[in-house]
Amino acid sequence: MPIPATWSARLLSVMRIVVALVFFSHGISKFFGLPPFPMPMNPLLYVAGILEVVGGGMLIIGLFTRPVAFVLSGMSAVAYFLAHFPHGPFPIANGGEPAVLYCFVFLSLAAAGGGACR
């Protein structure tokens, strides 16, 4: 049985909130060590952590969803090309799958908006 089309806006909101919570947890890991972040911090990781905490928090509550999601999409693309692509072009081989997925989920949120619950 397919999901009714009338649920699409609500499910878009659920996706936005869940993805933003997981993305937010990346920033919490960088700044507070919950769970411990596996590498030493550098200035680029501090910027990423700020974007993850602030941008993730804004997406959780649905504040400025489209522009924030667009910025986070770009941040995820930069993360892929700086941290993963030098180890090979294929995300499955270079560990870049999460960065690619975040990039395109955020890009879709930038295009579609935050859903019904904003």
Side-chain angles (χ1 to χ4, degrees):
M1 181 173 147
I3 296 173
T6 56
W7 289 22
S8 63
R10 285 180 236 140
L11 290 175
L12 183 61
S13 291
V14 170
M15 183 187 72
R16 171 184 49 87
I17 292 165
V18 170
V19 169
L21 281 168
V22 175
F23 196 72
F24 181 80
S25 72
H26 286 274
I28 296 300
S29 174
K30 285 180 179 72
F31 290 124
F32 302 109
L34 299 169
F37 191 65
M39 59 181 37
M41 292 293 285
N42 63 43
L44 204 54
L45 288 175
Y46 280 109
V47 171
I50 290 167
L51 287 171
E52 289 163 353
V53 170
V54 174
M58 290 174 77
L59 286 182
I60 290 167
I61 62 174
L63 188 63
F64 301 113
T65 298
R66 288 177 190 252
V68 169
F70 186 74
V71 169
L72 295 181
S73 175
M75 187 207 88
S76 299
V78 168
Y80 176 77
F81 283 107
L82 288 182
H84 302 285
F85 191 77
H87 302 288
F90 303 109
I92 192 134
N94 66 21
E97 290 174 316
V100 171
L101 288 173
Y102 279 127
C103 179
F104 284 96
V105 167
F106 290 142
L107 190 61
S108 69
L109 285 173
C117 303
R118 293 181 265 180

